[in-house]
């Protein structure tokens, strides 16, 4: 019959709410009863729901199947290939495969063939069983857009050289990651209105809200391609990892390497704005502040075959508490991405060590503590008791 609006940061959410009695409902119905009903949800066959198997289509055989993500089974942890990947179910799995003849299996076993994870099939944008819709490029990092279904899919591989002809075992890792450009209405608040310590920072890119994140390393110290640490309000952090570069590096590729490292440090999407409060809405321009980005110089020093590349990103955040002393609210006043560069020699470097540092600085200006009522100061003659 009526709505409680909590997204307006100008409202005072800390007053005692009004008690609604049965006799008051007619009064509120007259004022708020004209709300439009929610739109009718589309039928279940026109979009993916969380947990639904993702459908694939084999053009050569006209067979409809599901996207698979191998998992381990039993105490031995052996791989089971029939496990379907669930929509919006981002997770990583590991399992073990045993080979009687590794050299033979290397060229015949589909599990060791990278092409078998994407070749000859496409991913359906929406789960329509009777019509094959236009396919997208295959990708195990899946971009979705609400009820419009899957927008793009891509797959990446990291391979290693192995040797041995006798019985061998090999551990494989599989990751499925979902993301969207329009998560502004699905992200939970990080406070209302002020940030809560430990809550993720909200950032915006072209109006789409997401969480600020930094580099995350794999078990071997390499930079993860999909996983990143979420920056939590009030918690300083430092991360590091090693990024492998292409073995073929030329001087003409300097600008490409610089752009790639900036993208790796900052993330796939360029960060533009940062939410001042934890309940900021994308449509409230006053609730967002522009992030200052300071790139480093691109000129090498005393090196003819070097390229100045960013190796460190310092995310500096200034915040303070505002409002009543009895219930102060944490707000972010400003943020800066500060990059530090280092000369990279093309012919002698195959990996680059990257570091990210996040620091929160409290610049709250506390008022004077409240004082009691002024007291009267008596001034009496020296001989008052004579």
């Amino acid at each position: 019959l009526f709505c409680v609006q909590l997204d307006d940061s100008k409202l005072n959410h800390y007053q005692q709410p009004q008690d609604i009695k049965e006799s008051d409902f007619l009064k509120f119905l007259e004022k708020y009863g004209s709300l439009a009903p929610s739109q009718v949800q589309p039928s279940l066959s026109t979009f993916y729901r969380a947990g639904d198997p993702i459908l694939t289509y084999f053009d050569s055989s006209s067979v409809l199947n599901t996207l698979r993500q191998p998992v381990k089974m039993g105490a031995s942890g052996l791989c089971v290939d029939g496990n379907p990947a669930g929509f919006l179910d981002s997770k990583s799995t590991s399992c073990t495969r045993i080979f009687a003849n590794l050299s033979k299996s290397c060229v015949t076993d589909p599990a060791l063939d990278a092409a078998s994870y994407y070749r000859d099939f496409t991913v359906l944008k929406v789960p329509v069983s009777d019509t094959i819709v236009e396919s997208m490029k295959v990708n195990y990092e899946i971009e979705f857009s609400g009820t419009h279904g899957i927008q793009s899919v891509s797959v990446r591989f990291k391979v290693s050289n192995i040797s041995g002809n006798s019985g061998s075992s090999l551990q494989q890792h599989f990751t499925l990651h979902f993301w969207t450009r329009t998560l502004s209405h699905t992200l939970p608040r990080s406070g209302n209105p002020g940030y809560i310590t430990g809550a993720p920072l909200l950032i915006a890119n072209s109006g789409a809200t997401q969480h600020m994140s930094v580099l995350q390393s794999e078990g071997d110290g390499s930079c993860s391609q999909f996983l990143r640490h979420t920056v939590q309000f009030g918690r300083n952090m430092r991360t590091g990892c090693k990024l492998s570069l292409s073995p073929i590096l030329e001087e003409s590729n300097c600008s490409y390497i610089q752009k790639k490292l900036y993208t790796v440090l900052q993330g796939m999407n360029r960060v533009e704005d940062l939410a001042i409060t934890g309940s900021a809405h994308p449509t409230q321009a006053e609730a967002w502040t522009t992030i200052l980005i300071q790139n480093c110089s691109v000129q090498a020093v005393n090196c003819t075959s070097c390229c100045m590349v960013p190796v460190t990103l310092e995310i500096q955040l200034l915040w303070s508490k505002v409002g009543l002393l009895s219930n102060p609210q944490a707000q972010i006043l400003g943020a800066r991405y500060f990059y530090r560069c280092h000369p990279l020699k093309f012919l002698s470097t195959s990996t680059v060590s990257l570091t990210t540092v996040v620091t929160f600085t409290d610049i709250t200006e506390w008022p004077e503590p409240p004082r009691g009522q002024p007291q009267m100061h008596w001034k009496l003659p020296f001989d008052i008791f004579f």
Side-chain angles (χ1 to χ4, degrees):
L1 298 178
F2 61 91
C3 292
V4 179
Q5 297 182 353
L6 298 178
D7 288 326
D8 191 351
S9 59
K10 298 179 181 180
L11 298 178
N12 187 349
H13 306 308
Y14 306 103
Q15 295 180 350
Q16 188 68 21
Q18 181 180 358
D19 292 334
I20 305 299
K21 301 178 181 179
E22 184 177 0
S23 57
D24 298 331
F25 266 90
L26 291 177
K27 178 180 66 177
F28 284 91
L29 180 61
E30 294 176 357
K31 187 175 182 180
Y32 301 103
S34 60
L35 296 177
S38 60
Q39 297 180 355
V40 179
Q41 295 293 333
S43 61
L44 298 179
S45 61
T46 59
F47 65 93
Y48 286 110
R49 295 194 305 177
D52 287 349
I54 298 174
L55 300 183
T56 60
Y57 180 72
F58 289 82
D59 297 315
S60 58
S61 57
S62 300
V63 173
L64 203 63
N65 209 326
T66 58
L67 187 66
R68 307 302 176 93
Q69 183 177 14
V71 295
K72 62 182 178 180
M73 182 66 69
S76 60
L78 297 180
C79 290
V80 176
D81 295 307
N83 177 64
F87 183 67
L88 295 186
D89 186 12
S90 300
K91 65 180 179 181
S92 298
T93 58
S94 301
C95 58
T96 303
R97 300 188 191 274
I98 298 178
F99 306 100
N101 190 322
L102 183 58
S103 298
K104 182 178 180 180
S105 300
C106 186
V107 295
T108 60
D109 197 323
L112 300 182
D113 184 7
S116 66
Y117 292 95
Y118 66 88
R119 182 179 53 198
D120 298 332
F121 72 89
T122 55
V123 177
L124 298 189
K125 295 175 62 176
V126 291
V128 180
S129 58
D130 55 348
T131 304
I132 303 303
V133 296
E134 181 182 357
S135 61
M136 308 294 291
K137 293 183 179 180
V138 178
N139 176 2
Y140 283 27
E141 183 171 353
I142 302 175
E143 177 191 359
F144 68 97
S145 176
T147 57
H148 297 289
I150 295 175
Q151 302 299 301
S152 64
V153 187
S154 65
V155 60
R156 298 182 183 181
F157 301 95
K158 182 178 181 180
V159 297
S160 301
N161 292 327
I162 55 177
S163 60
N165 295 325
S166 59
S168 304
S169 63
L170 174 68
Q171 190 176 46
Q172 293 181 311
H173 303 271
F174 305 91
T175 299
L176 192 68
H177 180 248
F178 290 87
W179 65 285
T180 180
R181 299 180 187 273
T182 56
L183 272 177
S184 59
H185 62 285
T186 59
L187 285 180
R189 293 188 183 94
S190 294
N192 191 19
Y195 274 102
I196 299 175
T197 301
L201 290 188
L202 302 179
I203 58 176
N205 175 33
S206 300
T209 307
Q210 52 191 312
H211 290 157
M212 180 183 288
S213 62
V214 294
L215 288 172
Q216 180 173 339
S217 62
E218 299 283 1
D220 58 356
S222 62
C223 298
S224 176
Q225 296 180 352
F226 305 110
L227 304 178
R228 291 174 65 88
H229 286 295
T230 300
V231 178
Q232 299 176 343
F233 179 81
R235 294 179 177 174
N236 299 336
M237 61 187 305
R238 183 185 184 94
T239 63
C241 60
K242 291 184 178 294
L243 180 68
S244 299
L245 298 178
S246 173
I248 303 177
L249 297 176
E250 301 176 359
E251 293 185 8
S252 60
N253 289 335
C254 180
S255 59
Y256 169 77
I257 297 175
Q258 290 171 347
K259 182 178 179 180
K260 178 180 179 180
L261 292 183
Y262 276 117
T263 301
V264 171
L265 286 169
Q266 183 171 270
M268 295 296 295
N269 297 323
R270 181 176 178 85
V271 179
E272 297 177 350
D273 299 314
L274 174 64
I276 297 176
T277 61
S279 61
H281 193 272
T283 60
Q284 298 173 332
E286 70 279 2
W288 298 82
T289 180
T290 302
I291 298 178
L292 304 178
I293 299 179
Q294 183 174 345
N295 296 337
C296 48
S297 175
V298 297
Q299 297 180 352
V301 179
N302 297 328
C303 185
T304 58
S305 61
C306 292
C307 179
M308 292 295 291
V309 297
V311 294
T312 301
L313 168 60
E314 295 183 11
I315 302 178
Q316 304 165 346
L317 301 132
L318 303 180
W319 69 281
S320 69
K321 292 182 178 180
V322 299
L324 301 176
L325 285 174
S326 59
N327 191 12
Q329 299 296 305
Q331 292 188 3
I332 291 180
L333 303 182
R336 181 174 74 160
Y337 276 35
F338 183 78
Y339 291 94
R340 298 183 184 273
C341 285
H342 184 77
L344 174 68
K345 293 184 178 181
F346 288 100
L347 300 180
S348 61
T349 304
S350 60
T351 60
V352 178
S353 297
L354 302 179
T355 304
T356 306
V357 180
V358 180
T359 56
F360 288 84
T361 304
D362 184 1
I363 57 174
T364 302
E365 294 184 2
W366 294 97
E368 294 183 3
R371 296 173 294 181
Q373 294 295 326
Q375 302 295 324
M376 185 177 295
H377 296 277
W378 293 95
K379 293 183 179 181
L380 301 176
F382 178 74
D383 56 349
I384 183 64
F385 297 106
F386 179 73

